[in-house]
Short mmCIF file of all heavy atoms in Angstrom, two decimals:
data_model
loop_
_atom_site.label_atom_id
_atom_site.label_comp_id
_atom_site.label_asym_id
_atom_site.label_seq_id
_atom_site.Cartn_x
_atom_site.Cartn_y
_atom_site.Cartn_z
N THR A 58 16.31 12.41 -7.35
CA THR A 58 16.05 13.08 -6.07
C THR A 58 15.85 14.57 -6.23
O THR A 58 15.29 15.22 -5.36
CB THR A 58 17.21 12.83 -5.09
OG1 THR A 58 18.43 13.29 -5.68
CG2 THR A 58 17.33 11.35 -4.74
N SER A 59 16.31 15.12 -7.35
CA SER A 59 16.09 16.54 -7.62
C SER A 59 16.01 16.75 -9.12
O SER A 59 16.55 15.95 -9.90
CB SER A 59 17.19 17.41 -7.01
OG SER A 59 18.42 17.16 -7.66
N ILE A 60 15.34 17.82 -9.51
CA ILE A 60 15.23 18.15 -10.92
C ILE A 60 15.18 19.66 -11.08
O ILE A 60 14.51 20.34 -10.29
CB ILE A 60 13.98 17.48 -11.57
CG1 ILE A 60 14.02 17.55 -13.09
CG2 ILE A 60 12.69 18.07 -11.03
CD1 ILE A 60 14.96 16.57 -13.72
N HIS A 61 15.93 20.17 -12.04
CA HIS A 61 15.85 21.59 -12.38
C HIS A 61 15.09 21.68 -13.69
O HIS A 61 15.54 21.19 -14.72
CB HIS A 61 17.22 22.22 -12.53
CG HIS A 61 17.17 23.60 -13.13
ND1 HIS A 61 16.71 24.69 -12.43
CD2 HIS A 61 17.45 24.04 -14.37
CE1 HIS A 61 16.73 25.75 -13.22
NE2 HIS A 61 17.18 25.38 -14.41
N LEU A 62 13.90 22.29 -13.64
CA LEU A 62 13.10 22.48 -14.85
C LEU A 62 13.48 23.83 -15.45
O LEU A 62 13.24 24.87 -14.83
CB LEU A 62 11.61 22.44 -14.51
CG LEU A 62 11.11 21.14 -13.90
CD1 LEU A 62 9.66 21.28 -13.44
CD2 LEU A 62 11.26 19.99 -14.89
N PRO A 63 14.07 23.84 -16.65
CA PRO A 63 14.48 25.12 -17.24
C PRO A 63 13.27 25.95 -17.64
O PRO A 63 12.17 25.44 -17.80
CB PRO A 63 15.30 24.69 -18.46
CG PRO A 63 14.83 23.33 -18.79
CD PRO A 63 14.39 22.70 -17.50
N ASN A 64 13.50 27.25 -17.82
CA ASN A 64 12.43 28.17 -18.19
C ASN A 64 11.88 27.93 -19.59
O ASN A 64 10.94 28.59 -20.00
CB ASN A 64 12.89 29.62 -18.06
CG ASN A 64 12.93 30.05 -16.61
OD1 ASN A 64 12.15 29.58 -15.79
ND2 ASN A 64 13.85 30.94 -16.28
N SER A 65 12.43 26.99 -20.31
CA SER A 65 11.91 26.64 -21.63
C SER A 65 10.71 25.70 -21.55
O SER A 65 9.93 25.59 -22.49
CB SER A 65 13.01 26.00 -22.46
OG SER A 65 13.53 24.86 -21.79
N VAL A 66 10.54 25.01 -20.41
CA VAL A 66 9.49 24.00 -20.28
C VAL A 66 8.11 24.67 -20.20
O VAL A 66 7.88 25.54 -19.37
CB VAL A 66 9.72 23.11 -19.04
CG1 VAL A 66 8.54 22.18 -18.80
CG2 VAL A 66 10.99 22.30 -19.19
N THR A 67 7.20 24.22 -21.08
CA THR A 67 5.83 24.73 -21.07
C THR A 67 4.82 23.64 -20.72
O THR A 67 3.72 23.94 -20.26
CB THR A 67 5.44 25.32 -22.44
OG1 THR A 67 5.56 24.31 -23.44
CG2 THR A 67 6.32 26.51 -22.79
N HIS A 68 5.17 22.39 -20.94
CA HIS A 68 4.23 21.27 -20.73
C HIS A 68 4.88 20.20 -19.86
O HIS A 68 5.99 19.74 -20.16
CB HIS A 68 3.82 20.66 -22.08
CG HIS A 68 3.04 19.40 -21.96
ND1 HIS A 68 1.68 19.38 -21.75
CD2 HIS A 68 3.43 18.11 -21.98
CE1 HIS A 68 1.26 18.13 -21.67
NE2 HIS A 68 2.31 17.33 -21.80
N ILE A 69 4.15 19.78 -18.82
CA ILE A 69 4.55 18.66 -17.98
C ILE A 69 3.40 17.66 -18.03
O ILE A 69 2.27 17.98 -17.64
CB ILE A 69 4.84 19.10 -16.53
CG1 ILE A 69 5.96 20.15 -16.51
CG2 ILE A 69 5.21 17.89 -15.67
CD1 ILE A 69 6.15 20.82 -15.16
N GLY A 70 3.66 16.47 -18.52
CA GLY A 70 2.61 15.49 -18.78
C GLY A 70 2.08 14.78 -17.55
O GLY A 70 2.60 14.90 -16.44
N ASP A 71 1.01 14.01 -17.77
CA ASP A 71 0.37 13.22 -16.72
C ASP A 71 1.39 12.26 -16.09
O ASP A 71 2.14 11.59 -16.80
CB ASP A 71 -0.78 12.38 -17.29
CG ASP A 71 -1.92 13.21 -17.87
OD1 ASP A 71 -2.00 14.41 -17.55
OD2 ASP A 71 -2.72 12.64 -18.63
N PHE A 72 1.41 12.22 -14.78
CA PHE A 72 2.26 11.29 -14.01
C PHE A 72 3.75 11.43 -14.36
O PHE A 72 4.52 10.50 -14.15
CB PHE A 72 1.82 9.84 -14.22
CG PHE A 72 0.41 9.55 -13.76
CD1 PHE A 72 -0.66 9.70 -14.62
CD2 PHE A 72 0.16 9.17 -12.46
CE1 PHE A 72 -1.95 9.45 -14.21
CE2 PHE A 72 -1.14 8.92 -12.03
CZ PHE A 72 -2.19 9.07 -12.91
N ALA A 73 4.16 12.58 -14.89
CA ALA A 73 5.53 12.76 -15.40
C ALA A 73 6.60 12.39 -14.37
O ALA A 73 7.60 11.76 -14.70
CB ALA A 73 5.73 14.19 -15.88
N PHE A 74 6.42 12.80 -13.12
CA PHE A 74 7.40 12.53 -12.07
C PHE A 74 6.78 11.76 -10.91
O PHE A 74 7.38 11.65 -9.84
CB PHE A 74 7.98 13.85 -11.54
CG PHE A 74 8.79 14.60 -12.55
CD1 PHE A 74 8.20 15.52 -13.40
CD2 PHE A 74 10.16 14.41 -12.64
CE1 PHE A 74 8.95 16.21 -14.34
CE2 PHE A 74 10.92 15.10 -13.57
CZ PHE A 74 10.31 16.01 -14.42
N SER A 75 5.60 11.23 -11.08
CA SER A 75 4.92 10.59 -9.95
C SER A 75 5.69 9.37 -9.47
O SER A 75 6.40 8.72 -10.23
CB SER A 75 3.48 10.21 -10.32
OG SER A 75 3.46 9.07 -11.15
N ASP A 76 5.56 9.14 -8.18
CA ASP A 76 6.19 7.99 -7.53
C ASP A 76 7.71 7.99 -7.65
O ASP A 76 8.35 6.96 -7.50
CB ASP A 76 5.65 6.67 -8.10
CG ASP A 76 4.16 6.52 -7.89
OD1 ASP A 76 3.76 6.13 -6.79
OD2 ASP A 76 3.39 6.83 -8.82
N SER A 77 8.30 9.16 -7.92
CA SER A 77 9.76 9.26 -7.99
C SER A 77 10.31 9.59 -6.60
O SER A 77 9.55 9.76 -5.64
CB SER A 77 10.20 10.32 -9.00
OG SER A 77 9.86 11.61 -8.55
N GLN A 78 11.61 9.68 -6.49
CA GLN A 78 12.26 9.93 -5.20
C GLN A 78 12.58 11.41 -4.98
O GLN A 78 13.45 11.74 -4.17
CB GLN A 78 13.54 9.10 -5.10
CG GLN A 78 13.29 7.60 -5.17
CD GLN A 78 12.40 7.13 -4.06
OE1 GLN A 78 12.63 7.41 -2.89
NE2 GLN A 78 11.34 6.41 -4.41
N LEU A 79 11.91 12.32 -5.70
CA LEU A 79 12.16 13.75 -5.53
C LEU A 79 12.10 14.13 -4.05
O LEU A 79 11.14 13.82 -3.36
CB LEU A 79 11.13 14.59 -6.29
CG LEU A 79 11.27 14.63 -7.81
CD1 LEU A 79 10.10 15.38 -8.43
CD2 LEU A 79 12.58 15.27 -8.22
N SER A 80 13.15 14.79 -3.60
CA SER A 80 13.19 15.20 -2.19
C SER A 80 13.66 16.63 -2.03
O SER A 80 13.42 17.26 -1.02
CB SER A 80 14.08 14.26 -1.38
OG SER A 80 15.38 14.21 -1.92
N ALA A 81 14.36 17.16 -3.02
CA ALA A 81 14.81 18.55 -2.96
C ALA A 81 13.63 19.46 -3.29
O ALA A 81 12.59 19.02 -3.76
CB ALA A 81 15.95 18.77 -3.95
N THR A 82 13.81 20.75 -3.05
CA THR A 82 12.77 21.72 -3.39
C THR A 82 12.50 21.68 -4.90
O THR A 82 13.42 21.68 -5.71
CB THR A 82 13.21 23.14 -2.98
OG1 THR A 82 13.37 23.17 -1.57
CG2 THR A 82 12.18 24.18 -3.39
N LEU A 83 11.24 21.61 -5.25
CA LEU A 83 10.82 21.59 -6.64
C LEU A 83 10.37 22.98 -7.04
O LEU A 83 9.54 23.58 -6.35
CB LEU A 83 9.66 20.60 -6.83
CG LEU A 83 8.94 20.63 -8.17
CD1 LEU A 83 9.86 20.15 -9.29
CD2 LEU A 83 7.68 19.78 -8.11
N THR A 84 10.90 23.50 -8.15
CA THR A 84 10.48 24.80 -8.66
C THR A 84 9.76 24.61 -9.99
O THR A 84 10.33 24.05 -10.93
CB THR A 84 11.68 25.75 -8.85
OG1 THR A 84 12.33 25.92 -7.58
CG2 THR A 84 11.24 27.10 -9.38
N ILE A 85 8.51 25.05 -10.05
CA ILE A 85 7.75 25.05 -11.30
C ILE A 85 8.01 26.41 -11.95
O ILE A 85 7.65 27.45 -11.39
CB ILE A 85 6.24 24.87 -11.04
CG1 ILE A 85 5.94 23.65 -10.18
CG2 ILE A 85 5.48 24.84 -12.38
CD1 ILE A 85 6.18 22.32 -10.81
N PRO A 86 8.63 26.45 -13.14
CA PRO A 86 8.99 27.74 -13.73
C PRO A 86 7.79 28.54 -14.24
O PRO A 86 6.71 28.00 -14.46
CB PRO A 86 9.92 27.35 -14.88
CG PRO A 86 9.67 25.93 -15.16
CD PRO A 86 9.10 25.31 -13.94
N THR A 87 8.01 29.82 -14.45
CA THR A 87 6.97 30.74 -14.91
C THR A 87 6.41 30.35 -16.26
O THR A 87 5.26 30.65 -16.58
CB THR A 87 7.52 32.19 -15.01
OG1 THR A 87 8.61 32.20 -15.93
CG2 THR A 87 7.96 32.72 -13.67
#
Side-chain angles (χ1 to χ4, degrees):
T58 57
S59 67
I60 193 76
H61 169 73
L62 299 173
N64 284 329
S65 57
V66 173
T67 60
H68 171 84
I69 301 170
D71 297 342
F72 299 90
F74 294 89
S75 75
D76 299 279
S77 69
Q78 299 300 309
L79 286 174
S80 57
T82 298
L83 170 67
T84 301
I85 307 290
T87 59

